[in-house]
Amino acid sequence: MEEKTPVTVAAGDGIGPEIMDATLRILEAAGARIEIEKIDIGEKVYLSGNTAGIAPEAWESLRRTRVFLKSPITTPQGGGYKSLNVTVRKTLGLYANVRPCVSYHPFVDTKHPVMDMVIVRENEEDLYAGIEHRQTREVYQCLKLITRPGCEKIVRYAFEYARLNNRKKVTCFTKDNIMKMTDGLFHKVFDEIAAEYPQIENEHWIVDIGAAKLADTPEKFDVVVMPNLYGDILSDVAAQITGSVGLAGSANIGEHVAMFEAIHGSAPDIAGKNIANPSGLLHGAIMMLVHIGQPEIAGKVHNAWLRTVEDGVHTADIFKEGLSKELTGTDGFADAVIERLGQYPERLKRVEYSQGDEKILTSYVPSPHDTEIRKDTVGVDVFLEWKGGSPEELGKRLESANGRGVQLQMITNRGVKVYPGGMPETFCTDHWRCRFMTDGSNPTIGTSEIIGLLKRIDGLGLEFIKTENLCTFDGQPGYSLGQGQ
Ligand code: NAD
């Protein structure tokens, strides 16, 4: 007998225990070779005083089994409780969120009958780094971090996923017409890696028009890869337009650990009533079976599920008079899937998973770009909080801080150049970015020039709130220009 794969399982909150029970019953009946280790997460753990919602012994299980099947949890209202999902994803380095969005026309009502796309969302970076500051009385900031390793990992994952699943096209969405450095890097890495997969079509859309196309003609998309925020929003849009957000599962893949779940929440409004649809979690579990090398069981469960939906055995959330044949509950739906194990859908496309799906490349090999890059500091942006008067006044005052290697080049307010030569119409807040560059006495500046400058600015009675070094990388500026510069 083949060995069983240990899997950490959390039943979660709300409808979690019911849908987990249904899912595990189906997996067992299908002959899944898994050994379950149960852990507690969520509301109970939060309310016991653990603000992370997960106990130390649960981490131990996760790090040992490396496979996590998770029901939704309830995050208690009120401050102080951290999102468990974000904590688990980031702590365990689950960088890829993979969400297949498929419509089941004509058995589940949808405006998009031929939709079969997979969204691959970057899961750790972008605005989700959670580094936010209130810098001045008027201005708040959230840092958007995009890294080359992060882009390479997620883009390569998307192409490997496409290759192994016989997908024809990978589309990338960014906003690199505006965010030329951060989203620009994501797009550049996409182009570099796409070139290694000539057999797979590739395209890039600016996210605004891309999102409009995705919502209007989803049948034109296949695999879509995106930075975190766009992926978070658009994967919900894509799941919803298949007909029901309640049907989709998702995989969170890392180099060491992977987590599988439904995309919906704990639905406290219907908890304990045996009416929840277990399909979202079941789809997560199907992805898990592929990941742990049991594609034949994954296919068996998926085809039985398709047949059940096709036979019109529906839970209340997708039940539609005239379309559905039998209204069933959580348990009854699981029984119906179990009865159909070994059967295939007659009209919906049957599913076949192959060996090797689980071998999607997940270990990061740094590209040669990372090494040997020459970095020179050529200036510094000094950010000030100031509510004194006009940009002209500030500019004249700051010019007296020039000297000893640096000189004021420009001042911007919310990114728009206001000195020298600003427009009186530009609205200004109390947050000023003052760009000082080397004065030409030396090609570069060092820490002592920056500290000297800050001392002189302080001496002028101006309050600096942060600095940002301006560097060139192999001679190329690593900073954007001011708008209007
Ligand atoms: P929700 O997804 O739980 O529910 C939204 C609506 O969809 C509700 O009307 C619910 O009854 C229905 N619904 C959801 N899943 C269903 C299913 N399987 N079958 C039938 N109907 C279903 O979203 P919410 O109400 O915004 O959030 C409830 C709780 O879930 C919150 O505490 C939230 O923090 C948490 N949540 C957890 C996760 C997670 O653990 N992955 C994800 C999202 C929300």
Side-chain angles (χ1 to χ4, degrees):
M1 215 179 94
E2 273 189 75
E3 252 186 61
K4 290 185 168 181
T5 303
V7 171
T8 303
V9 167
D13 300 316
I15 58 170
E18 300 159 64
I19 58 173
M20 183 59 83
D21 183 57
T23 298
L24 293 179
R25 278 205 299 123
I26 296 168
L27 296 197
E28 193 187 349
R33 300 178 297 281
I34 57 172
E35 196 174 296
I36 290 161
E37 277 189 26
K38 293 201 166 147
I39 59 165
D40 269 339
I41 55 164
E43 204 169 18
K44 212 164 56 183
V45 183
Y46 279 121
L47 297 178
S48 75
N50 181 326
T51 52
I54 177 165
E57 50 283 11
W59 285 115
E60 190 280 321
S61 171
L62 284 174
R63 295 183 61 219
R64 184 165 30 78
T65 67
R66 298 165 170 234
V67 185
F68 187 17
L69 181 62
K70 175 186 155 291
S71 263
I73 59 147
T74 301
T75 311
Q77 293 292 314
Y81 299 109
K82 290 289 208 193
S83 158
L84 176 78
N85 265 340
V86 177
T87 304
V88 171
R89 278 180 204 151
K90 293 185 72 171
T91 307
L92 299 176
L94 309 182
Y95 67 88
N97 185 269
V98 183
R99 202 182 270 195
C101 299
V102 184
S103 57
Y104 305 100
H105 175 81
F107 306 100
V108 177
D109 203 21
T110 169
K111 297 188 187 88
H112 302 285
V114 282
M115 183 175 165
D116 180 6
M117 89 170 76
V118 179
I119 300 213
V120 177
R121 160 191 170 195
E122 200 291 317
N123 221 9
E124 295 184 290
E125 309 195 332
D126 196 355
L127 289 155
Y128 290 58
I131 306 175
E132 293 192 291
H133 295 98
R134 179 173 180 176
Q135 293 189 313
T136 68
R137 287 167 182 80
E138 292 177 351
V139 176
Y140 298 71
Q141 155 184 287
C142 176
L143 269 191
K144 171 164 167 133
L145 293 179
I146 301 276
T147 71
R148 182 170 263 280
C151 294
E152 288 181 357
K153 276 159 61 171
I154 195 66
V155 173
R156 189 165 297 283
Y157 187 93
F159 277 95
E160 282 296 299
Y161 182 96
R163 185 174 70 81
L164 289 163
N165 290 282
N166 213 11
R167 298 264 176 177
K168 306 284 177 256
K169 182 166 81 172
V170 180
T171 304
C172 174
F173 288 175
T174 71
K175 187 80 185 170
D176 67 338
N177 54 331
I178 303 294
M179 285 162 277
K180 296 190 166 68
M181 304 206 68
T182 47
D183 281 23
L185 175 64
F186 197 96
H187 187 175
K188 182 163 180 270
V189 169
F190 177 78
D191 288 345
E192 286 167 12
I193 291 178
E196 295 177 36
Y197 294 84
Q199 72 283 17
I200 299 171
E201 199 187 324
N202 71 79
E203 63 179 7
H204 171 271
W205 292 105
I206 300 291
V207 62
D208 35 13
I209 186 62
K213 282 172 182 284
L214 182 142
D216 187 40
T217 50
E219 66 279 5
K220 299 215 168 120
F221 293 89
D222 199 346
V223 175
V224 191
V225 65
M226 282 178 262
N228 205 340
L229 178 63
Y230 316 139
D232 191 2
I233 298 167
L234 292 179
S235 60
D236 264 32
V237 171
Q240 179 68 26
I241 64 174
T242 64
S244 168
V245 77
L247 296 178
S250 92
N252 296 270
I253 308 282
E255 285 178 41
H256 312 289
V257 182
M259 173 170 91
F260 303 87
E261 60 183 344
I263 69 169
H264 59 72
S266 58
D269 53 336
I270 56 164
K273 296 185 179 158
N274 189 33
I275 56 174
N277 188 344
S279 300
L281 185 61
L282 187 65
H283 280 293
I286 291 168
M287 285 193 264
M288 177 188 79
L289 290 171
V290 177
H291 178 80
I292 63 176
Q294 299 183 26
E296 72 295 349
I297 312 283
K300 190 172 170 185
V301 173
H302 201 156
N303 285 314
W305 180 86
L306 287 166
R307 182 60 183 263
T308 309
V309 169
E310 206 179 76
D311 284 349
V313 183
H314 292 168
T315 43
D317 55 315
I318 56 167
F319 187 87
K320 198 159 186 203
E321 214 57 67
L323 204 67
S324 308
K325 302 233 166 57
E326 182 189 334
L327 176 64
T328 189
T330 314
D331 278 350
F333 186 82
D335 293 338
V337 175
I338 290 168
E339 271 166 35
R340 288 165 179 78
L341 286 167
Q343 295 183 32
Y344 292 92
E346 287 175 341
R347 288 177 59 195
L348 291 169
K349 201 167 130 215
R350 57 167 77 179
V351 179
E352 200 178 330
Y353 294 104
S354 57
Q355 286 290 348
D357 277 15
E358 75 281 10
K359 292 202 190 77
I360 289 189
L361 183 143
T362 53
S363 63
Y364 173 65
V365 182
S367 75
H369 303 271
D370 291 347
T371 54
E372 309 278 312
I373 294 173
R374 187 189 160 93
K375 179 181 169 190
D376 293 305
T377 306
V378 295
V380 61
D381 277 344
V382 180
F383 291 76
L384 304 178
E385 174 166 358
W386 187 66
K387 201 67 187 167
S390 71
E392 281 297 314
E393 271 177 71
L394 182 63
K396 293 279 175 280
R397 218 159 133 188
L398 276 174
E399 264 161 10
S400 64
N402 282 349
R404 287 176 248 171
V406 290
Q407 68 184 18
L408 182 68
Q409 188 189 54
M410 65 158 182
I411 302 173
T412 68
N413 196 294
R414 293 189 302 172
V416 182
K417 188 177 70 129
V418 291
Y419 180 86
M423 308 255 181
E425 291 82 2
T426 306
F427 177 78
C428 290
T429 68
D430 62 357
H431 184 270
W432 308 82
R433 187 260 306 259
C434 311
R435 176 161 290 181
F436 288 85
M437 302 298 287
T438 166
D439 63 6
S441 55
N442 257 312
T444 62
I445 63 168
T447 315
S448 60
E449 280 85 4
I450 295 172
I451 292 171
L453 172 66
L454 293 179
K455 278 188 181 153
R456 295 197 296 279
I457 290 175
D458 187 48
L460 292 170
L462 295 168
E463 180 191 348
F464 60 85
I465 48 178
K466 78 158 186 175
T467 63
E468 200 78 68
N469 286 4
L470 304 173
C471 302
T472 59
F473 295 82
D474 281 344
Q476 296 301 313
Y479 47 89
S480 56
L481 299 180
Q483 284 155 356
Q485 192 184 0

